[in-house]
Amino acid sequence: MSAGDVLLLIGAGVLAGITSTVAGLASLVSYPALLATGLSPLAANVTNTSALLFVAVGAGVGSRPELVGQGARLRRYGVAMFLGGAAGAALLLALPASAFERVVPVLIAGSAVVLWLQPSILARRRADAAEGGPVVFGLVLLTGVYLGYFGAGGGIALLAALAVAIPEPLVRVNALKNVVSGFANVVAAATFAVFGPVRWLSVLPLAAGLLVGGAVGPSLVRRLPPGLLRALVGLAALGLATSLALDGYR
């Protein structure tokens, strides 16, 4: 790997880490950067997932004020993400990348709508849709499957699922999302380390950038009004859904 590739991956990692903590779109930056260094799509995918674990580490450090009192949630949803990430990693090694192409744009666009409607949904939720209910646990589990498989926009879907179940300020829910998503990356990275073509020399500079970006991002989120944060994440989700739809349905 050239020095230029190393610098590219570090810079892309910092930007992806910030993007992940603010809008859940890290792979939109980090995955193309890996492709630009010459990796194949599969190698770039598994390398990206392995490095994304460090966003959660950085975000955990940067989001300590927002994570106070959320230990039980971290454990509950961490289990769901761990199980989902394991299933998603297995699917990636067994199924073609086109398996999700037609479903993902709908998933991400739907997540944007859910986020925009979050206040009214919270006010009308059913008992089984509360944060400790089976519906939310199942949604988090399915999001973990997607994060372990590919993950572009998976953070947005996870934020949407948590935001309509947890009656807390969006900045606290977002901090929870940033850390919990790391559980899916842990098990996926472990699976790919054994069975997948992970390029560890690419993981190192990308992970370093992601760690820094993940730590810096929460301070930016903290300064955004909840309504603006909700609007920005929703708009980013619609943009990603449109891009993926053009690729998947073409």
Side-chain angles (χ1 to χ4, degrees):
M1 182 186 300
S2 69
D5 288 341
V6 171
L7 291 176
L8 171 64
L9 292 178
I10 292 174
V14 173
L15 181 57
I18 294 172
T19 303
S20 176
T21 55
V22 175
L25 295 173
S27 293
L28 198 61
V29 179
S30 54
Y31 179 70
L34 288 166
L35 292 177
T37 66
L39 298 189
S40 69
L42 178 60
N45 197 347
V46 298
T47 300
N48 184 54
T49 299
S50 300
L52 282 175
L53 163 65
F54 289 87
V55 171
V57 177
V61 174
S63 300
R64 283 174 294 179
E66 289 79 19
L67 293 173
V68 172
Q70 299 206 74
R73 290 169 180 154
L74 286 171
R75 291 188 292 272
R76 180 187 308 119
Y77 299 129
V79 168
M81 293 300 288
F82 188 89
L83 296 174
L91 285 174
L92 176 62
L93 297 175
L95 296 177
S98 60
F100 279 151
E101 281 183 353
R102 295 182 180 274
V103 178
V104 169
V106 178
L107 167 70
I108 297 174
S111 299
V113 174
V114 169
L115 279 175
W116 284 334
L117 297 177
Q118 179 218 10
S120 60
I121 293 174
L122 268 177
R124 295 175 173 84
R125 69 181 185 185
R126 302 194 317 270
D128 62 351
E131 60 176 289
V135 172
V136 177
F137 187 90
L139 288 174
V140 173
L141 178 68
L142 290 175
T143 306
V145 173
Y146 177 60
L147 282 169
Y149 184 90
F150 183 70
I156 294 173
L158 178 59
L159 178 60
L162 295 175
V164 296
I166 299 175
E168 294 262 16
L170 192 59
V171 65
R172 276 174 59 82
V173 180
N174 190 63
L176 178 67
K177 176 267 295 182
N178 290 334
V179 177
V180 165
S181 62
F183 286 85
N185 294 127
V186 166
V187 65
T191 302
F192 296 151
V194 178
F195 300 107
V198 178
R199 300 295 185 261
W200 294 107
L201 289 179
S202 298
V203 168
L204 293 176
L206 182 59
L210 288 166
L211 182 65
V212 173
V216 170
S219 65
L220 300 177
V221 174
R222 206 171 286 135
R223 290 168 170 78
L224 292 174
L228 179 58
L229 176 61
R230 190 179 297 109
L232 288 176
V233 175
L235 287 173
L238 285 183
L240 176 60
T242 300
S243 175
L244 292 175
L246 291 174
D247 291 339
Y249 300 153
R250 185 175 298 160

